[in-house]
Amino acid sequence: MLNLHSPIINNTLNNTIYEELSEEWRSRLLPEARNSIINGYYNAGILTVNIADFNIESFYDELVKKDYENYCQQLYGELKPIIQRCLRRMFSGFNSYLMEYEIVLFMEGRDGDGFDPIKYSIKII
């Protein structure tokens, strides 16, 4: 059912994240990635973020690659409450019986950089 609303969820989630993300992270986001910070497979409860999209002034290439796990954890710390609030509001509008939903957020690096995706679980209550 959620995949029927996938474009709406994706657009709302990405716009909300962009608006609520700290200036520190927003200022590092490549312009072409602004509308696709997160990609989702909503029926499966899977979201992905490519942290390589945060590469203004070579931020990803020069800093993130040296301390990948730490930067993923920092970005996750900012994204988690935004995702929880946004999805809770949307899901209650789609299905009033949906009281709890768990998603998995994968943080990925650029293809070929050799980083394994880091997996985080987020409960939407």
Side-chain angles (χ1 to χ4, degrees):
M1 184 201 104
L2 295 174
N3 278 350
L4 295 175
H5 304 287
S6 183
I8 295 168
I9 296 170
N10 203 43
N11 189 41
T12 303
L13 183 58
N14 277 297
N15 286 339
T16 302
I17 287 170
Y18 186 77
E19 290 172 7
E20 295 186 19
L21 198 60
S22 71
E23 178 60 30
E24 178 182 1
W25 282 100
R26 258 194 337 255
S27 68
R28 296 170 176 161
L29 184 64
L30 296 171
E32 61 270 18
R34 180 185 176 265
N35 295 322
S36 61
I37 299 167
I38 288 202
N39 294 295
Y41 305 96
Y42 300 102
N43 275 358
I46 298 171
L47 300 177
T48 59
V49 173
N50 189 332
I51 198 165
D53 289 338
F54 294 87
N55 201 26
I56 295 282
E57 297 179 4
S58 299
F59 175 71
Y60 173 80
D61 291 325
E62 293 178 8
L63 295 173
V64 173
K65 286 168 93 174
K66 294 176 185 173
D67 198 5
Y68 174 72
E69 290 183 21
N70 181 45
Y71 281 104
C72 286
Q73 183 65 37
Q74 286 180 31
L75 182 57
Y76 165 73
E78 287 210 27
L79 290 176
K80 181 182 175 183
I82 298 169
I83 292 169
Q84 285 176 315
R85 280 191 309 275
C86 185
L87 292 183
R88 185 178 322 122
R89 285 190 304 251
M90 283 192 292
F91 291 171
S92 67
F94 291 134
N95 184 346
S96 60
Y97 296 105
L98 188 60
M99 303 305 282
E100 184 175 312
Y101 191 72
E102 189 164 337
I103 60 159
V104 176
L105 175 66
F106 287 99
M107 297 279 207
E108 304 175 319
R110 187 181 297 128
D111 287 342
D113 284 345
F115 294 122
D116 290 329
I118 298 178
K119 176 182 168 182
Y120 300 96
S121 293
I122 302 173
K123 280 197 176 201
I124 312 298
I125 299 174

